[in-house]
Amino acid sequence: MTECNKNNNFNSNLIILLMKNKLIKATLIFSIVTFFGACKPKTTADAISGNAAQKVYVAPGEHDEFYSFTSGGFSGQVAVYGIPSGRLLKVLPVFSQDPETGYGYGEDTKPMLNTSHGFVPWGDQHHLAVSQTDGEYDGRWLFANENNTPRVARLDLTTFTTDEIIEIPNSAGNHSSPFVTDNNEYVVAGTRFSVPFEDEDGDIPISTYADNFSGAITFIKVDPQSGRMAIDFQLKTPPVNYDLSRTGKGASSGWFFFSTYNTEKAHTLLEVNASQNDKDFILALNWKKIAEMVKEGKGRKVKADYAHNVYDHNTHSATSTILNEVHVLDIEDLEGVAYYIPCPKSPHGADVDPSGEYIVGSGKLASLIPVFSFSKMMKAIEDKKFDGDYDGIPVLNYEAVLHGEVQKPGLGPLHTEFDANGNAYTSFFVSSEVVKWNVKTLEVVDRQPTYYSTGHLTVAGGNTKKPYGKYLVAWNKITKDRYLPTGPELAQSAQLFDISGEKMELLLDFPTIGEPHYAQIVPASLIVDKQKRIYDINANNHKYVVKNENDTRVERSGNRVDVYMTLIRTHITPDNIEGIRMGDEVYFHITNLEQDWDLPHGFAVMGNNNSEVLILPGETRTMKWVPTKVGIIPMYCTDFCSALHQEMQGYIRVSPAGSNTPLRYGTGDNAPKE
Ligand code: RUQ
Ligand code: CUA
């Protein structure tokens, strides 16, 4: 046992002691957590063996075995890494504007960031879920949640683009999301904050929380062919906070498990007031039965505005529709479909093992990990082993549903993933480690320190029926001394472990964008063959497409100017434009005529209060520009596209408002002459 782990045992005893004392102040918990979060074994470098380097070495020209789709946290985006090399392959724009591609800046993609609050240019992205067929990744879509302005996105894994975003009404803080059912029937979204529903008066004292606030769990239906999302129904629940969730699988297929905290119904100083109860709950929901009840007409329509944004790869543009109604069921009116499992100390992760029999609850402030048994749960329901109810929902007897407890696993358990050999891997924030334990015997098999304070961890396929195992990545919250310093803010860190043996082996550190929360590690073989290489120019149905240079033109209508432009190696058509005036609004509709893989052109205009747009082969993008100065304004291609990329440029002449400079344009011989 390392020094650090010894300390941790001591710490956990200390914390248990303190927590038994009702006078404990949350600030004290906080200082302990902060202080011991700094635990650092001396053996940082010693732990790396010589062949670790070999195991992560992907030779030049070789490809990684896995993709890791990793949440970008407060960057709002998703990062794609190769595993085991840790190479950053791409950042996918999802909930935030992206000046690199023009996502959310260009006219065609702006609607993707529309909400019932208007245009929201930023998001907080936490969790990811690859679509599943029969409990295994099918590699078709990637679902992503947004925590701040509740939304769920669907990305297409043939194009690596955000194709759909749906807003979640009656929610606030879409944290317990997105988690998919084993055949992708539903993506769920559990609210972190309870709030008054939108059809109720929200202009009320916050202190009436317990009476007037509600929780919401939203079930988004996914079309099996197109992937299209639609809110099927919402459950209105007591005002608790939902943290995370997992679908059942195998035996427990048809159920969902949600961790809840703040069963105290606190609305202020939650660090103290939501940490009072010895046990909070895991909410077990029979979603299949509830979906049937909805079909039979149970529930009611509730007014609520939410945006549904869809990107179309034929028109190369997005539309945003505001919908006004959701189907709501009150959870306390439903019989035999919802039960609470008591779970110690504000459970964070609620994770289901590959067999579907075991449900692992990770209490952020607990010193043990309870493992519940699905078959025992079913028996307890049958035998009515309830300890009363909570707001009308039966609370199951803890012992009756308990498979067992992992004793002294570490401090601050957060999340658990699984391999295919009956092992679980739990991340510990406070004691900075990953702990491997046996799901049946509940014995700790191995523990390895992490640097530092791990939040989520991901095993390749670790949330499926058939985990691939092999690699585990710990997504760490605190970096301290792992990399060259970069001022007050340091790079966030991921750590790759080899888990193919009995003992876990640390192989690699790599920095991440934003803050990494959850990730999905998917075999490359599920994805590479489906890659789209170009967009067929003949199938381009963009409203402003021009498919050859002869059709390029500039049109004025009042103070609106439309420039129909093409790009091909290595010129812009038209590359000389005159007759633009101050006070105009100019829309560049730019089509990339290339039909070769990896041949985007970019387009930018000097002084534009906007980003560039990146236009992929066969695609059209519309960029808005409002001239700010009289004179000659250069424009150019921003993406190094050939040896003559630097020649791919042009000029726009801007005249004073009301001037009568004629509208003239062209390239080469067609360029306007004196
Ligand atoms: S959680 S703070 Cu995924 Cu552990 Cu969001
Ligand atoms: Cu086109 Cu550079």
Side-chain angles (χ1 to χ4, degrees), residues 126-127 175 243-244 348 414-415 455-456 477 515 517-518:
H126 284 215
H127 306 127
H175 193 268
D243 214 350
L244 288 149
H348 190 57
L414 290 188
H415 301 279
H456 281 269
K477 300 297 191 188
E515 178 184 310
H517 291 260
Y518 189 45

Side-chain angles (χ1 to χ4, degrees), residues 646-664:
Q646 208 69 341
E647 280 68 22
M648 199 165 175
Q649 65 172 50
Y651 292 103
I652 307 164
R653 173 179 168 189
V654 180
S655 302
S659 86
N660 49 16
T661 316
L663 196 61
R664 304 191 302 169

Side-chain angles (χ1 to χ4, degrees), residues 68-107:
S68 177
F69 297 98
T70 305
S71 102
F74 44 72
S75 85
Q77 319 293 44
V78 171
V80 187
Y81 299 91
I83 298 291
S85 72
R87 293 166 174 165
L88 175 63
L89 302 175
K90 205 171 195 335
V91 174
L92 312 178
V94 186
F95 294 111
S96 297
Q97 285 178 298
D98 179 43
E100 187 179 332
T101 57
Y103 176 86
Y105 288 99
E107 298 303 302

Side-chain angles (χ1 to χ4, degrees), residues 570 600-602 637-642 645 648:
T570 12
H601 295 286
C637 168
T638 53
D639 188 319
F640 208 108
C641 49
S642 87
H645 153 79
M648 199 165 175

